[in-house]
């Protein structure tokens, strides 16, 4: 009897070339919805309850710890700039694109109709496993498409992944920049998406990321959140028709 591996090889070789490529490619982790554990599950349950209790949600923010931080370092700025729009913060520290996709599949897009969704995600894909830019971009694209499928009337403000690392030559900065370049091209013809790269507001002229903006060269502090709000508030107003 022929071995199973030999049989599978024979089947793959019998496929047309395009099918062989698809069959032999490694799956993209950024696209496989998966949950996390511990505090993350509790936060997910709390957000589902917040959605259930909300009279309406005009603007939803979706992302990782940087978005999560609107509830701590950025809270004052959040209240001053966004509270009037009945905002919902769906940022979770440590999340990658696959975690957002799982959350989407388990209720975080249900029960409300946001007018605008602000998305900024991907730095943990590159940071946690040094994922190639193409895979991170694929995960971000999947999030955009899933949200649009669920809420076709929602206008999406997709932010470039924020800079990280002190200098432009930092490996993770370059991975993020690479993903941003791909994402921008992918979104160019989607009329429901506005791609906005505000990264220069955080950087000096030579591309240095100052610690007074992001002390750990990744997460904004108060000044960084104010810069972020100043950069996106006019665009959110425009998308809301104000």
């Amino acid at each position: 009897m022929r071995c199973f591996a030999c049989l599978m090889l024979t089947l793959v070789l019998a496929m047309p070339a395009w099918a062989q490529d698809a069959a032999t490619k490694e799956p993209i982790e950024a696209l496989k919805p998966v949950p996390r554990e511990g505090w993350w599950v509790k936060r997910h349950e709390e957000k589902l309850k917040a959605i259930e209790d909300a009279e309406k949600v005009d603007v939803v923010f979706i992302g990782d710890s940087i978005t999560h931080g609107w509830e701590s370092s950025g809270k004052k700025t959040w209240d001053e700039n966004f509270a009037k729009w009945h905002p919902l913060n769906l940022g979770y520290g440590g999340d990658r694109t696959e975690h957002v996709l799982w959350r989407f599949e388990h209720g975080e897009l249900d029960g409300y109709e946001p007018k605008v969704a602000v998305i900024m995600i991907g730095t943990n894909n590159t940071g946690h496993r040094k994922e190639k830019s193409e895979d991170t971009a694929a995960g971000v694209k999947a999030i955009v498409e899933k949200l649009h499928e669920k809420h076709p009337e929602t206008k999406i403000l997709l932010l470039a992944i924020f800079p990280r690392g002190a200098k432009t030559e930092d490996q993770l900065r370059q991975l993020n920049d690479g993903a941003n370049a791909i994402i921008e091209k992918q979104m160019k013809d989607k009329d429901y998406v506005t791609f906005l790269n505000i990264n220069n507001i955080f950087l000096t002229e030579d591309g240095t990321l100052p610690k007074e903006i992001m002390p750990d060269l990744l997460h904004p502090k108060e000044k960084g959140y104010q810069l972020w709000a100043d950069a996106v508030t006019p665009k959110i107003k425009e998308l809301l028709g104000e």
Side-chain angles (χ1 to χ4, degrees):
M1 182 180 291
R2 299 171 67 183
C3 70
F4 179 75
C6 296
L7 177 59
M8 292 305 297
L9 178 60
T10 301
L11 291 173
V12 169
L13 293 176
M15 296 177 182
W18 64 267
Q20 289 183 36
D21 290 343
T24 56
K25 280 182 180 176
E26 288 292 322
I28 297 175
E29 291 185 75
L31 296 175
K32 299 185 295 183
V34 293
R36 293 167 63 197
E37 298 178 347
W39 68 267
W40 189 92
V41 176
K42 182 180 178 183
R43 182 170 175 81
H44 174 62
E45 292 169 350
E46 290 171 348
K47 291 303 177 181
L48 295 183
K49 184 65 166 60
I51 291 169
E52 181 182 347
D53 292 345
E55 292 183 10
K56 64 176 179 175
V57 174
D58 288 335
V59 180
V60 57
F61 286 72
I62 298 161
D64 48 41
S65 57
I66 299 173
T67 297
H68 194 156
W70 283 116
E71 297 175 10
S72 52
S73 296
K75 189 177 188 312
K76 182 174 182 289
T77 303
W78 172 276
D79 291 341
E80 292 173 349
N81 289 268
F82 307 134
K84 61 187 174 183
W85 294 321
H86 312 280
L88 174 65
N89 185 337
L90 295 181
Y92 288 55
D95 263 17
R96 300 187 294 272
T97 57
E98 59 264 36
H99 304 127
V100 176
L101 290 170
W102 188 94
R103 293 196 271 123
F104 279 6
E105 291 183 356
H106 292 81
E108 289 193 7
L109 293 182
D110 299 334
Y112 66 106
E113 296 290 337
K115 295 177 182 178
V116 174
V118 182
I119 301 173
M120 205 282 290
I121 188 71
T123 200
N124 292 320
N125 292 61
T126 55
H128 290 177
R129 56 179 176 245
K130 294 184 173 60
E131 182 175 85
K132 60 184 181 180
S133 298
E134 292 83 357
D135 288 0
T136 300
V140 174
K141 181 182 178 184
I143 288 169
V144 169
E145 290 176 344
K146 186 68 176 178
L147 193 150
H148 180 62
E149 176 187 331
K150 185 72 176 182
H151 296 292
E153 300 303 316
T154 297
K155 295 177 180 177
I156 299 173
L157 179 58
L158 178 61
L159 301 181
I161 305 168
F162 283 1
R164 64 183 301 167
K167 300 292 184 180
T168 57
E169 60 267 24
D170 181 272
Q171 181 188 14
L172 300 182
R173 172 91 69 93
Q174 291 181 347
L175 286 172
N176 283 356
D177 288 347
N180 288 334
I182 296 168
I183 293 163
E184 183 173 15
K185 289 180 181 178
Q186 291 174 335
M187 299 299 136
K188 187 168 58 176
D189 298 324
K190 298 183 185 297
D191 58 5
Y192 54 89
V193 180
T194 299
F195 179 80
L196 185 63
N197 189 332
I198 65 170
N199 289 2
N200 283 341
I201 67 170
F202 302 117
L203 305 172
T204 63
E205 288 187 6
D206 67 356
T208 298
L209 180 58
K211 288 194 173 183
E212 66 185 82
I213 304 297
M214 299 183 188
D216 62 354
L217 303 177
L218 174 61
H219 298 93
K221 288 302 180 186
E222 289 83 355
K223 184 175 181 179
Y225 280 101
Q226 187 61 62
L227 290 170
W228 184 358
D230 291 343
V232 301
T233 296
K235 181 57 67 174
I236 294 174
K237 287 182 176 180
E238 178 187 326
L239 294 174
L240 288 169
E242 296 184 358

